[in-house]
Amino acid sequence: MKKVRKSLFSATPSVLAIVAGLAAGVIILLISNPARAWEGLLTILRGGWNNDMKGVGQVLYYATPIILTGLSVGFAFKTGMFNIGAAGQLMVGGFVSIYVAVTWTFLPGALHWIVPLVMGMLAGMAWGMLVGIFKAFLNVHEVITSIMLNYIAMYGVNFLVKNSHLYDMLRNQTVNVPAGSMLPKAGLDQIFLIMKGNFRDVSSVNAGIFIAVGVAVVIYILLEKTIFGFELRAVGHNRHASRYAGISEKKAIITSMAIAGALSGIAGATMYLAPASGMHMHVEEVLAAQGFNGIAVALLGLSNPIGIIFTGLFVAHITVGGSYLQSLRYMKEIIDVIIGLIIYFSAFSLLMRDVLRNIRKKQKHAEPEVQGKEEQPV
Amino acid sequence: MSDYIIEMLHITKDFPGIRANDNVTLQLKKGEIHALLGENGAGKSTLMSILFGLYQAEGGEIRKNGQKVHIRNPNDANALGIGMVHQHFKLVHNFTVLENIVLGVETTRHGVLKMDEAREKVMHLSDRYGLSIAPDALISDITVGMQQRVEILKMLYRENDILIFDEPTAVLTPQEIDELMQIMTGLAKEGKSILFITHKLDEIKKVGDRCTVLRKGEYVGTVAVSETSVEEMAEMMVGRKINFTIDKVVAQPGKAGLSVRNLTIAGHHAKKAVSNVSFDVHHGEIVCIAGIDGNGQSELVYALTGLMPLESGKILLHGEDVTADSIRARNEKGLSHIPEDRHQYGLVLDFDLQQNLALKTYFHEPLHKNGFINFGEVRRHAEDLIGSFDIRTAQGPETSARSMSGGNQQKAIIAREIDTHSDVIIAVQPTRGLDVGAMLYIHEQLIKERDAGKAVLLISLELDEVFQLADRILVIYEGQIVAEKDSKDATPQELGLYMAGSKRGEAV
């Protein structure tokens, strides 16, 4: 019980950030079209509900990859590293899963989606591990390698898609994956749909959301309950002390980046092992936005795997809501601005919490800042 | 006109949960050397920080020449002519001596530095007070002694006439200390008033005119140094008669626990950090490596424990070559390490106490089961150690390591290192920054471990500690062992000569 209260309390800055971000969003809506600002805010808050159960299904479908990339970034954070390469790991993982799904049609039954998913995960893992290897053995900062690998992934995947049987020239994107390799619906298509007469307008949601939640729980257990997680967290907090205690820092860095990469790889697989109505890989010079939204999700969730499930759902919710802003003649980019503001305020609210704490202390007494090591209150 | 140049009257200062200064009065006469004596944690630094404007007192007042003054920040203090040599020097390492002295009060003409005038003034001050310096040397290239002279010149350059020295001798060799004492006497003769913070009684006896004693934040009294014996001052400081020496039976050295053969470690430049060092530490003895900070002690310890690669040589644990072993393999073969920097190496400050206590054993059963942490056992393990090593905490095993006091953090580290049942213990400055109580406790623990047959290697910068604990003393100078002495035959003066490189190092 104490623990629950403590974790709720630690979510306060995130909630404050969301409120402040939305408030700033309203100001932007007011500037851009004052007459419909209130309506616009409601549209954002309504999220998927703007389009009934199908919309909610879409929220779950969009939440799936960003929960996974959020976990990817958050996991690396816990080991003291900034994985800005989730986008590249996701694209590599997504490409490999599409390739396996389309090419290995001989796979029987459920294996036809499980194998592409696993291969996508392994591809992302390899991509992430490269970053870890560079950091551990050559001391190259992970931000530099992962940004570069993002572009290598993007151009490499574009090249491979364009020059293979995966390319749908008309739409400039990857072909639809075979029906057998789509993630199972797991009954979700019976819930998240709109009936239009006899026509069932089904959302793209699938078992991916269960995979994402399950993975989050596994990551939580791995980090908090195992000695492996203990080592990773020790390295994240203080790598000198960890080395001193005999923990192999190199091993921790490489495994942690490999796991982070694997998580982004799964994210890519869940995005593209979807029906024709779902997402496809476009041959564009754009990095996957889900990779960067993962950073937002992880920050807002304070890198806590369970928190990340909720922040992932929330970010997907307002993203879907934001897409309906267009019906009010707003630019749909406004929602990206609002998400950006929420992230900005989340950093700010952590700062605010420290400031508030200091003020409280000062009111009690003078600041306990201690000069030199000597007079430390014992 | 008042008799006193500076008076601090009835100063009271509270920190959360502790009264650091309680009705303390300190009166400084013009031209005297006034010692401020007290144990660690007695409130000396707090009092000086109030005088220097770093803290504001809740009660009491400060007067200069009988006039009440308000000192809100160090700039106010400077304007009143108060200067301070901090325990840890505030120097810019890649600036020259001259640049450091004028930093903040540069003479400029049309925005261009006029260093010639500054140089003339600095050299004049240097001659007048006998503070020899090399004005164009970089701070990073000069000795600690000269760095201190630079700090003193900084105060003189700013025309301060009230000089505060915060534990100035902690970093010096015995010879450098003698020289500093002469400088201080000279400054006082020239009319400067000096406040000298210390807990070393012989230094007070040597140069002090009067001495104010604090104990646990309270004012004990002010005495004339010439009329008071060292024993009386010690009693005032501690509140009881104290026995400075720990009873220690004669060592019974057994077989070699740790052996080092021809160890060489690369340094920053072409110079070796440690070159061709060989020694043995036997079971049942404490071997101490004495030396001035920065003569290769840290590198030696890092190499022994596996934190740093070595260039050549061998390290043996109980005769077994461990030179190529990992840190963990060495720990598992019986090597414990109480590190120099408890925040950087000793603890993961964001972990709680129980996790820190398990930092070297978490991978052994029963602290885990099939790779899953056994939280109940981790907690029990912590409770055992908290009990047997008297670690004081606010929330037991769940206390965050960051919130613990330095003494208790150190106790936790020592508990963990002794608990691993290693039979070779390397302790690096294990009592740095601790009060007398914690210090005695840690010394007793180390002697207890020695008597239990463990081999203890102690690296210390404090000669008092060296003589307190060591059975054998090795002196390290510029990466080489320059002397080996039985502690019964050694004197501080003799060791000091070795520590400074056989004879006084000329100021470089």
Side-chain angles (χ1 to χ4, degrees):
Chain A
M1 206 52 223
K2 208 173 95 188
K3 229 178 171 177
V4 172
R5 203 158 55 203
K6 210 174 133 194
S7 54
L8 280 181
F9 178 76
S10 65
T12 321
S14 304
V15 174
L16 284 177
I18 289 168
V19 172
L22 287 173
V26 171
I27 294 172
I28 291 170
L29 292 176
L30 277 170
I31 292 168
S32 133
N33 181 2
R36 313 191 78 169
W38 178 244
E39 223 178 317
L41 177 67
L42 285 181
T43 305
I44 293 171
L45 289 180
R46 232 181 278 128
W49 297 106
N50 285 304
N51 196 11
D52 220 331
M53 286 308 271
K54 182 188 172 187
V56 178
Q58 290 308 102
V59 168
L60 296 177
Y61 176 60
Y62 286 116
T64 304
I66 59 174
I67 288 173
L68 287 162
T69 52
L71 289 170
S72 168
V73 176
F75 189 82
F77 266 143
K78 287 273 184 181
T79 320
M81 274 180 299
F82 185 26
N83 179 21
I84 205 167
Q89 294 146 16
L90 179 147
M91 292 172 98
V92 170
F95 170 77
V96 168
S97 63
I98 295 173
Y99 179 85
V100 174
V102 173
T103 316
W104 296 5
T105 44
F106 54 83
L107 290 164
L111 280 181
H112 198 183
W113 64 268
I114 292 172
V115 173
L117 184 74
V118 171
M119 295 302 284
M121 178 182 89
L122 292 176
M125 184 182 236
W127 211 248
M129 203 161 152
L130 269 180
V131 177
I133 290 171
F134 272 96
K135 167 120 179 173
F137 291 106
L138 301 169
N139 205 17
V140 184
H141 199 275
E142 72 272 12
V143 167
I144 293 171
T145 25
S146 47
I147 287 179
M148 290 185 176
L149 283 172
N150 274 347
Y151 286 97
I152 296 173
M154 180 185 83
Y155 288 113
V157 166
N158 282 352
F159 171 80
L160 290 172
V161 169
K162 228 171 169 175
N163 294 293
S164 70
H165 56 285
L166 304 180
Y167 189 43
D168 178 347
M169 215 185 308
L170 283 178
R171 296 194 176 84
N172 192 32
Q173 64 182 28
T174 48
V175 294
N176 296 334
V177 294
S181 65
M182 294 171 193
L183 297 183
K185 288 285 178 192
L188 294 171
D189 54 343
Q190 303 299 321
I191 306 169
F192 299 107
L193 77 171
I194 300 173
M195 291 301 290
K196 289 179 178 161
N198 275 335
F199 177 68
R200 297 156 64 91
D201 189 4
V202 183
S203 81
S204 314
V205 67
N206 56 34
I209 187 68
F210 295 134
I211 294 174
V213 172
V215 166
V217 173
V218 169
I219 291 297
Y220 174 78
I221 293 171
L222 188 71
L223 267 178
E224 301 295 330
K225 307 287 179 196
T226 67
I227 58 172
F228 174 64
F230 181 84
E231 290 182 349
L232 293 186
R233 282 185 295 125
V235 172
H237 284 309
N238 184 345
R239 57 197 189 91
H240 297 289
S242 309
R243 218 160 85 73
Y244 153 85
I247 296 168
S248 166
E249 190 195 347
K250 289 183 169 50
K251 196 180 112 195
I253 287 171
I254 294 170
T255 46
S256 137
M257 279 312 297
I259 290 171
L263 291 166
S264 292
I266 303 176
T270 60
M271 274 165 69
Y272 301 121
L273 296 177
S277 65
M279 289 179 263
H280 293 74
M281 271 192 152
H282 295 274
V283 181
E284 294 172 338
E285 293 188 4
V286 178
L287 290 167
Q290 287 81 358
F292 296 105
N293 282 339
I295 298 171
V297 168
L299 279 175
L300 211 50
L302 303 174
S303 298
N304 178 323
I306 306 303
I308 283 169
I309 299 175
F310 294 103
T311 53
L313 285 169
F314 173 76
V315 171
H317 179 79
I318 61 169
T319 307
V320 171
S323 66
Y324 294 108
L325 278 180
Q326 290 168 100
S327 63
L328 302 175
R329 299 266 181 94
Y330 281 111
M331 308 267 280
K332 87 171 175 29
E333 282 73 17
I334 279 185
I335 198 64
D336 292 330
V337 174
I338 293 174
I339 293 174
L341 284 167
I342 289 174
I343 301 314
Y344 177 78
F345 281 110
S346 75
F348 191 66
S349 70
L350 283 174
L351 191 83
M352 278 305 291
R353 191 177 63 178
D354 291 347
V355 170
L356 284 174
R357 194 179 284 160
N358 278 342
I359 289 172
R360 252 207 320 263
K361 263 187 199 158
K362 259 187 195 164
Q363 278 170 349
K364 257 188 191 162
H365 274 305
E367 75 275 47
E369 209 83 42
V370 178
Q371 256 289 309
K373 61 196 171 189
E374 193 183 287
E375 312 292 348
Q376 200 136 18
V378 181
Chain B
M1 194 68 191
S2 160
D3 278 355
Y4 300 107
I5 184 159
I6 280 283
E7 290 172 276
M8 299 182 78
L9 301 170
H10 312 294
I11 298 290
T12 297
K13 172 72 189 169
D14 287 320
F15 288 121
I18 193 162
R19 178 157 282 193
N21 284 153
D22 187 3
N23 195 12
V24 174
T25 292
L26 175 71
Q27 293 170 306
L28 179 65
K29 283 182 192 164
K30 189 170 163 55
E32 75 165 343
I33 298 180
H34 193 119
L36 183 57
L37 177 67
E39 289 188 90
N40 289 319
K44 307 187 295 285
S45 286
T46 307
L47 191 66
M48 288 305 105
S49 298
I50 291 169
L51 182 57
F52 202 55
L54 294 166
Y55 294 143
Q56 306 302 313
E58 268 96 41
E61 62 179 51
I62 302 173
R63 289 186 191 166
K64 185 178 180 195
N65 294 326
Q67 301 290 314
K68 190 172 172 179
V69 291
H70 289 284
I71 304 176
R72 285 177 208 85
N73 53 50
N75 290 338
D76 287 355
N78 200 30
L80 291 170
I82 302 170
M84 184 160 175
V85 176
H86 295 269
Q87 202 174 352
H88 303 280
F89 303 147
K90 316 271 188 207
L91 296 171
V92 182
H93 278 239
N94 50 359
F95 272 21
T96 65
V97 167
L98 188 62
E99 285 167 339
N100 266 285
I101 292 171
V102 302
L103 187 64
V105 288
E106 303 88 349
T107 359
T108 55
R109 192 164 299 153
H110 310 303
V112 178
L113 276 177
K114 300 298 287 180
M115 288 302 256
D116 292 346
E117 285 170 27
R119 176 185 300 267
E120 208 171 292
K121 186 174 167 190
V122 168
M123 294 321 285
H124 174 70
L125 287 170
S126 157
D127 286 347
R128 179 167 165 204
Y129 293 102
L131 296 156
S132 72
I133 48 152
D136 298 310
L138 292 179
I139 294 296
S140 51
D141 294 340
I142 63 177
T143 61
V144 176
M146 194 192 281
Q147 290 182 9
Q148 191 169 53
R149 293 198 287 274
V150 174
E151 285 281 13
I152 298 170
L153 276 170
K154 266 167 73 179
M155 297 193 295
L156 298 174
Y157 188 78
R158 284 159 180 72
E159 284 159 9
N160 292 328
D161 42 31
I162 299 146
L163 314 179
I164 307 171
F165 287 82
D166 188 2
E167 306 222 8
T169 58
V171 288
L172 303 180
T173 63
Q175 286 75 17
E176 283 175 323
I177 291 173
D178 285 344
E179 197 189 336
L180 176 68
M181 300 282 131
Q182 279 171 21
I183 292 170
M184 285 170 66
T185 319
L187 288 167
K189 273 209 192 93
E190 294 277 338
K192 305 282 182 190
S193 314
I194 296 177
L195 269 170
F196 177 30
I197 307 175
T198 186
H199 54 237
K200 291 181 183 158
L201 296 162
D202 52 331
E203 292 169 5
I204 296 178
K205 207 66 195 164
K206 228 178 270 172
V207 294
D209 296 314
R210 295 192 305 145
C211 174
T212 292
V213 186
L214 300 185
R215 183 169 70 231
K216 289 182 180 156
E218 285 172 38
Y219 174 70
V220 180
T222 302
V223 295
V225 173
S226 55
E227 295 160 14
T228 318
S229 72
V230 171
E231 285 74 22
E232 281 165 328
M233 284 193 281
E235 208 179 316
M236 285 174 79
M237 169 168 80
V238 189
R240 60 187 147 90
K241 285 196 192 300
I242 48 165
N243 186 6
F244 282 112
T245 48
I246 303 173
D247 293 329
K248 195 172 82 163
V249 295
V250 180
Q252 305 283 336
K255 279 199 288 196
L258 172 72
S259 307
V260 178
R261 293 286 173 267
N262 308 102
L263 189 70
T264 298
I265 305 166
H268 280 304
H269 309 292
K271 221 170 93 182
K272 308 283 182 218
V274 171
S275 48
N276 202 21
V277 163
S278 301
F279 60 87
D280 288 304
V281 185
H282 299 94
H283 287 286
E285 71 167 348
I286 298 179
V287 173
C288 182
I289 296 185
I292 312 282
D293 198 8
N295 275 288
Q297 295 100 319
S298 305
E299 290 85 353
L300 176 63
V301 171
Y302 291 156
L304 292 179
T305 52
L307 285 160
M308 193 186 244
L310 43 95
E311 207 167 271
S312 61
K314 264 187 190 166
I315 300 161
L316 308 154
L317 273 180
H318 320 113
E320 184 189 349
D321 191 342
V322 296
T323 317
D325 282 3
S326 69
I327 298 166
R328 174 146 303 165
R330 293 180 206 208
N331 290 343
E332 293 295 286
K333 284 175 183 166
L335 184 69
S336 266
H337 174 197
I338 297 163
E340 178 177 7
D341 189 327
R342 51 180 170 266
H343 291 170
Q344 192 177 11
Y345 284 99
L347 295 166
V348 179
L349 289 173
D350 293 308
F351 274 3
D352 58 17
L353 177 58
Q354 56 186 345
Q355 289 178 315
N356 272 298
L357 289 172
L359 204 56
K360 281 198 172 170
T361 42
Y362 66 90
F363 50 90
H364 285 307
E365 291 196 11
L367 295 186
H368 79 101
K369 213 169 186 185
N370 306 323
F372 286 87
I373 302 169
N374 189 340
F375 289 97
E377 282 297 327
V378 169
R379 195 190 162 85
R380 234 174 45 110
H381 171 251
E383 278 166 350
D384 284 351
L385 291 181
I386 289 171
S388 49
F389 286 86
D390 189 30
I391 305 168
R392 312 271 170 83
T393 63
Q395 293 149 296
E398 272 143 33
T399 312
S400 116
R402 192 181 288 284
S403 70
M404 291 165 57
S405 72
N408 282 302
Q409 288 178 340
Q410 190 70 353
K411 277 187 189 175
I413 294 171
I414 286 170
R416 181 182 72 209
E417 295 308 309
I418 291 177
D419 168 64
T420 53
H421 305 296
S422 302
D423 41 20
V424 178
I425 299 174
I426 299 178
V428 190
Q429 294 203 65
T431 59
R432 192 169 74 163
L434 303 186
D435 64 41
V436 170
M439 194 163 97
L440 282 176
Y441 179 86
I442 284 162
H443 285 173
E444 279 164 11
Q445 289 298 327
L446 289 174
I447 290 172
K448 211 168 96 188
E449 292 303 307
R450 179 201 76 161
D451 293 343
K454 298 194 179 179
V456 181
L457 177 66
L458 174 74
I459 283 89
S460 181
L461 306 178
E462 296 271 348
L463 278 181
D464 291 346
E465 184 167 77
V466 172
F467 279 100
Q468 186 89 270
L469 292 176
D471 299 311
R472 225 152 30 94
I473 301 170
L474 305 173
V475 183
I476 192 165
Y477 174 72
E478 297 203 327
Q480 287 173 311
I481 302 287
V482 292
E484 177 176 350
K485 288 271 160 191
D486 196 296
S487 63
K488 290 192 294 290
D489 311 332
T491 64
Q493 282 67 29
E494 190 190 3
L495 287 189
L497 288 173
Y498 285 118
M499 283 157 67
S502 290
K503 58 183 173 81
R504 284 247 16 222
E506 280 305 311
V508 185

